[in-house]
Amino acid sequence: PDPIMTKKRRNGGRNKKGRGHVPYIRCDNCARACPKDKAVKRFLIKNMVEQAAVRDIAEASVYDTYVLPKLYIKMQYCISCAIHSKQVRNRSHEGRKDRTPPPRFRPRRKE
């Protein structure tokens, strides 16, 4: 009888399934080459202007209700950087079996 190696994750840490090969991306933090399906992807939405200058711009603007533009950046991290920056956490043997997505939070709009 051949000993069967234990398997840590049912997807092998990737989202590849029948593809064979996927292109590599570079981590936005450390520039490590990482398969695109294994990388941790996060959408970063930031204001173009830092918070300190928002009021100055609003006062100087000729429009009374001018919405400042936002910066939409797709960040792609290797696993090491994602863990280090606390984007993802390691989970227990039982916790890894839980495949429900984490709760999505939307920033509340000020009205």
Side-chain angles (χ1 to χ4, degrees):
D2 276 335
I4 299 165
M5 274 188 69
T6 55
K7 204 171 174 200
K8 196 170 188 181
R9 290 175 186 84
R10 88 182 230 186
N11 63 3
R14 301 179 61 152
N15 187 20
K16 186 163 66 76
K17 300 308 171 218
R19 272 184 265 286
H21 181 263
V22 289
Y24 277 70
I25 56 108
R26 302 310 287 258
C27 169
D28 284 332
N29 192 38
C30 67
R32 168 184 277 170
C34 172
K36 186 170 193 246
D37 59 337
K38 188 173 191 168
V40 177
K41 300 162 199 78
R42 294 286 183 268
F43 222 84
L44 185 68
I45 302 169
K46 285 195 318 192
N47 285 324
M48 266 189 195
V49 184
E50 69 262 5
Q51 208 56 44
V54 168
R55 207 174 108 243
D56 299 340
I57 291 173
E59 287 172 1
S61 175
V62 291
Y63 304 106
D64 49 349
T65 56
Y66 179 68
V67 180
L68 285 168
K70 289 185 174 358
L71 221 57
Y72 297 91
I73 311 165
K74 187 177 185 184
M75 303 295 282
Q76 296 178 313
Y77 299 102
C78 66
I79 297 298
S80 305
C81 291
I83 291 169
H84 184 72
S85 62
K86 295 181 178 154
Q87 300 285 332
V88 291
R89 297 174 64 191
N90 60 345
R91 297 190 287 173
S92 66
H93 183 66
E94 288 300 313
R96 283 197 288 271
K97 291 179 181 177
D98 175 28
R99 293 169 60 82
T100 58
R104 301 194 60 171
F105 73 96
R106 294 270 173 157
R108 280 183 280 149
R109 303 189 85 170
K110 291 172 267 174
E111 288 183 29

